[in-house]
Amino acid sequence: MRESRLFQILYILLEKGAATAKELAEKLEVSPRTVYRDIDALSQAGVPVYAEPGRSGGIRLLGDFVLDKALFSPAERRELLSALQSLSALESGSPTFSKLSALFGPPPESWLEVDFSRWGNKLEDNKKFETLKSAILCHQRLKIAYAAASGQITTRIVLPLKLSYKSKSWYLHAFCTERQSPRLFKLTRILDYTLLPQHFSPPLPSPLPESSPSPSTRFRFLFPSEMAYRVYDEFAADEISLQPNGDYLVTVEMPDDSWVLSFLLSCCGHVQVLEPRRLRNLLAETAQKIYLQSKS
């Protein structure tokens, strides 16, 4: 946190030219004494910062001070600006990107755009992502309403650790205070979230384990040619075999969980389950149940 505050002080002084300890303290939400300690730390690190007494005084940088862009190679500067540019989908104009663009020169051509939101949920999804990111970086407790796989919606107090992207979905790694153990929460299932004033200090009582999927099962599906887009959306090329009649034979090993059945149902009958046989029976029973419910 202190390193971040030192950079904030540096950016404020570069932008404004001068600021009083009181102004910096109010902006950074610390005491003036802390600001003066930070100024000493910057000075010891070689930054030419000084305090000027008097009514028109304040904390200043020497007029010829600039951040040394020679610390980065041209390739590193392009990579850094590209990375910041790709994350602009989360923020309405990144001040860090603007400042480094001014320092390093013109931004690179835009070749990548990253948008973490679902279709039609841009504002809410990006707000959720930003809130979770802030909770992780500030080590701040989080209260969430979560839709579990069991169908229950529960309220949890969690200590957020990191965000990860796996198999087309974002997850929050967090320590659940109720279960007293690490947990993995899918972001789309976090229905509500509130930052709590309490902070926590890592490390946590136990390390976060790697996610352990269910045991794999061998599946074989046959899709007609018009389902090519769904086949290539979900399966790797080496799992797909194009048949002489244009059908697609998929042979894959993956966890036998609820996703498999929901995916097959979403194909609206345009798939044949070759194995395992029990899945064929379950698919038929589920489809029959849906049909009877629609008739009632």
Side-chain angles (χ1 to χ4, degrees), residues 35-281:
V35 169
Y36 282 118
R37 284 200 295 264
D38 289 342
I39 296 302
D40 287 340
L42 286 171
S43 180
Q44 292 172 14
V47 177
V49 59
Y50 65 97
E52 192 174 68
R55 291 177 59 86
S56 59
I59 298 169
R60 302 176 182 272
L61 291 167
L62 288 181
D64 58 353
F65 174 74
V66 293
L67 288 176
D68 189 1
K69 65 180 179 182
L71 295 173
F72 301 91
S73 69
E76 289 172 332
R77 295 201 293 269
R78 286 195 299 271
E79 289 180 12
L80 182 57
L81 288 175
S82 293
L84 288 170
Q85 190 176 38
S86 70
L87 292 176
S88 62
L90 289 177
E91 302 174 359
S92 56
S94 169
T96 307
F97 175 69
S98 300
K99 289 168 183 173
L100 287 182
S101 293
L103 175 67
F104 289 163
E109 292 184 6
S110 180
W111 64 276
L112 173 69
E113 181 178 344
V114 179
D115 190 343
F116 300 115
S117 64
R118 294 165 292 176
W119 292 106
N121 288 275
K122 184 178 181 67
L123 293 178
E124 180 54 37
D125 282 353
N126 287 343
K127 178 184 175 184
K128 181 191 297 184
F129 196 95
E130 275 295 292
T131 301
L132 297 180
K133 182 183 76 172
S134 175
I136 292 167
L137 295 177
C138 297
H139 307 307
Q140 198 164 349
R141 289 175 180 254
L142 196 67
K143 180 180 180 181
I144 63 173
Y146 189 70
S150 63
Q152 292 183 319
I153 298 177
T154 59
T155 300
R156 318 274 190 95
I157 305 295
V158 301
L159 312 183
L161 299 178
K162 68 177 180 178
L163 290 166
S164 64
Y165 187 79
K166 176 72 172 177
S167 186
K168 303 181 183 179
S169 297
W170 281 98
Y171 295 89
L172 171 67
H173 295 250
F175 185 85
C176 179
T177 59
E178 179 183 348
R179 306 287 176 82
Q180 283 296 298
S181 63
R183 285 289 188 270
L184 202 61
F185 300 97
K186 195 171 184 177
L187 258 63
T188 52
R189 297 181 187 172
I190 298 177
L191 308 181
D192 195 17
Y193 50 94
T194 304
L195 278 174
L196 300 178
Q198 300 88 359
H199 293 257
F200 63 93
S201 299
L204 295 171
S206 60
L208 189 73
E210 294 295 327
S211 55
S212 53
S214 307
S216 293
T217 300
R218 185 173 184 265
F219 297 93
R220 293 179 73 236
F221 307 124
L222 189 64
F223 295 88
S225 58
E226 60 265 28
M227 294 296 289
Y229 72 102
R230 292 298 306 275
V231 171
Y232 286 106
D233 273 351
E234 303 296 343
F235 304 104
D238 59 358
E239 298 168 339
I240 304 168
S241 175
L242 181 61
Q243 302 300 290
N245 65 349
D247 289 350
Y248 293 90
L249 175 64
V250 174
T251 304
V252 59
E253 289 198 6
M254 57 184 179
D256 188 359
D257 56 24
S258 59
W259 178 88
V260 179
L261 182 60
S262 62
F263 167 71
L264 295 175
L265 289 170
S266 72
C267 293
C268 301
H270 298 292
V271 59
Q272 182 181 351
V273 179
L274 303 180
E275 60 178 89
R277 180 171 292 274
R278 58 174 174 75
L279 180 58
R280 296 172 61 180
N281 298 334

